[in-house]
């Protein structure tokens, strides 16, 4: 592993948190060197470990993306299950290797199933991922996201607008689409990681992943990911799969590996696709056939210390971040366009006739 150059230290450190269970359910200690940065070699080892263990991933996710999420997990080599019934969700979480909690369509019973599963995951030591879909201007899911992040997820994955809203410093994006860049959400991500002792992953043209101490940037992917429903939600499930099969790798290593593998598969799929339809099929094929050796040669990641990146990001509770109308205070939520590169999966183009 490569070493980071600046040995700055912060108290919160998630590398020893949420050790992933093995197939036998026994906890594995996190023996990763806290000074080491993820590399292409650690990404390749993560993929090999996932393929060898075929982790069972419990997805409490939104109804729009269940099929694509399940197929993406199967293609990669994991085993998906979607159990969102109260009274069963928690029981299933205890036997799963990883859990995804996705807030895309949080109906009342599903919200209770999420709470039940999170409690079971924390009790059983099952690593879990929070995906705060479309939070910010929608009060029910925003409040739920703040409630759940305080329960200590192993990782949080979202687009920049969602991460800013989770920190209480943004109003959310345009529905599930982001109106912010990953770089603009770096401070919020670092602050959230430190406060909740978790790993934050911010999707963009270059994904940003941080444990509050280290920041890792993952290049890759393709604009066609923005044209397939469930592209981001499937990544959340893949993060849960890598966490559930990580062995003695760090949580940061596992989250970086998930993003690097997904980005490499998307690039390969886009090279053969004629459009969104063929891309969706090609992405599943690429997830199924991409090898650790290919990932080791194609992964483009760089690491740096977070330093003071999060010092000015004040992370508040949901009540502090939201005004009476359910909108984050002091933030212009009318933005619907930006000037990021065309291949940024979180880029929102300006609609015809100007900004809505």
């Amino acid at each position: 592993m490569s070493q980071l150059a600046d040995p700055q230290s912060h108290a919160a450190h998630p590398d020893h948190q949420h050790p992933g269970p093995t197939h036998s359910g026994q906890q594995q200690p996190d023996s990763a060197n806290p000074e080491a940065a993820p590399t292409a070699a650690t990404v390749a080892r993560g993929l090999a470990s996932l393929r060898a263990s075929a982790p069972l991933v419990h997805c409490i996710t939104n109804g729009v993306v269940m099929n694509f999420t399940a197929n993406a997990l199967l293609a990669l080599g994991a085993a998906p299950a979607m159990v969102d019934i109260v009274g069963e969700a928690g029981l299933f979480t205890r036997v799963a290797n990883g859990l995804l909690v996705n807030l895309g369509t949080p109906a009342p019973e599903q919200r209770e199933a999420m709470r039940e599963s999170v409690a079971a995951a924390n009790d059983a030591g099952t690593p879990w991922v929070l995906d705060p879909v479309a939070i910010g201007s929608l009060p029910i899911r925003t409040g739920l996201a703040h409630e759940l992040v305080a329960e200590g997820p192993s990782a949080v994955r979202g687009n920049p607008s969602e991460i800013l809203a989770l920190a209480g410093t943004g109003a959310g994006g345009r529905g599930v689409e982001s109106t912010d860049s990953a770089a603009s959400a770096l401070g919020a991500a670092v602050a959230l990681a430190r406060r909740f002792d978790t790993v934050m992953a911010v999707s963009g043209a270059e994904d940003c992943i941080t444990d509050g101490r280290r920041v890792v940037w993952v290049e890759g992917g393709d604009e066609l990911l923005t044209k397939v429903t469930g592209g981001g939600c499937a990544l959340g499930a893949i993060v849960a799969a890598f966490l559930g099969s990580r062995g003695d790798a760090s949580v940061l290593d596992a989250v970086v590996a998930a993003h690097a593998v997904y980005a490499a598969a998307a690039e390969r799929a886009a090279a053969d696709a004629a459009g969104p339809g063929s891309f969706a099929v090609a992405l599943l094929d690429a997830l199924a056939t991409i090898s650790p050796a290919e990932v080791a040669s194609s992964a483009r990641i760089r690491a740096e210390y977070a330093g003071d990146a999060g010092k000015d990001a004040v992370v508040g509770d949901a009540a502090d971040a939201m005004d009476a109308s359910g909108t984050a205070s002091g933030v212009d939520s009318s933005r619907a366009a930006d000037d990021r590169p065309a291949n940024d999966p979180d880029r929102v183009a300006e609609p015809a006739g100007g900004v809505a």
Side-chain angles (χ1 to χ4, degrees):
M1 287 185 175
S2 63
Q3 301 294 316
L4 296 177
D6 177 11
Q8 255 183 298
S9 177
H10 295 283
H13 221 304
D15 280 355
H16 55 77
Q17 301 292 323
H18 311 290
T22 64
H23 271 310
S24 64
Q26 296 301 310
Q27 295 298 313
Q28 293 296 303
D30 191 335
S31 60
N33 178 357
E35 297 300 323
T39 65
T42 62
V43 171
R45 285 197 293 271
L47 178 57
S49 178
L50 186 151
R51 294 263 172 79
S53 61
L56 176 62
V57 182
H58 182 197
C59 302
I60 301 183
T61 191
N62 74 77
V64 180
V65 304
M66 282 187 181
N67 183 68
F68 190 78
T69 297
N71 284 338
L73 286 171
L74 285 170
L76 189 63
M82 280 74 172
V83 181
D84 60 0
I85 299 172
V86 174
E88 294 184 352
L91 294 173
F92 197 86
T93 296
R94 292 179 179 275
V95 301
N97 298 107
L99 168 69
L100 168 67
V101 176
N102 175 298
L103 306 188
T105 53
E109 182 171 8
Q110 193 184 65
R111 296 199 297 272
E112 291 308 310
M114 290 173 181
R115 294 183 175 105
E116 180 183 302
S117 286
V118 165
N122 286 341
D123 183 60
T126 305
W128 64 282
V129 178
L130 174 64
D131 191 338
V133 178
I135 68 166
S137 61
L138 301 174
I140 292 175
R141 71 185 63 215
T142 301
L144 181 61
H146 281 270
E147 173 190 337
L148 293 179
V149 75
E151 295 298 320
S154 308
V156 178
R157 191 222 72 86
N159 68 39
S161 293
E162 292 161 350
I163 300 306
L164 287 165
L166 190 63
T169 57
R174 189 179 66 174
V176 299
E177 296 178 324
S178 180
T179 55
D180 299 280
S181 68
S184 71
L186 173 59
V190 169
L192 286 163
R194 290 174 181 167
R195 174 168 178 177
F196 298 109
D197 202 16
T198 189
V199 170
M200 300 294 302
V202 188
S203 297
E206 190 176 24
D207 298 330
C208 172
I209 302 157
T210 181
D211 59 2
R213 173 183 176 79
R214 296 161 290 182
V215 177
V216 182
W217 298 90
V218 178
E219 296 181 41
D222 192 86
E223 185 184 6
L224 283 171
L225 279 169
T226 68
K227 308 299 183 184
V228 175
T229 299
C233 294
L235 176 55
I238 288 172
V239 170
F242 273 87
L243 286 171
S245 59
R246 72 182 179 92
D248 63 358
S250 72
V251 174
L252 183 65
D253 280 349
V255 178
V256 169
H259 283 75
V261 169
Y262 198 64
E267 287 187 333
R268 188 211 276 186
D272 297 327
S278 56
F279 172 77
V281 174
L283 179 60
L284 296 179
D285 289 343
L287 288 169
T289 58
I290 196 166
S291 68
E294 180 179 350
V295 168
S297 65
S298 64
R300 302 191 300 280
I301 60 180
R302 57 187 174 86
E304 60 196 28
Y305 268 91
D308 294 330
K311 71 173 184 177
D312 296 323
V314 179
V315 179
D317 295 328
D320 299 328
M322 306 291 286
D323 62 21
S325 67
T327 302
S329 301
V331 177
D332 179 8
S333 60
S334 65
R335 292 178 57 198
D338 60 51
D339 58 358
R340 274 166 286 158
N343 67 340
D344 187 334
D346 292 310
R347 180 180 186 274
V348 179
E350 181 173 333
V355 177

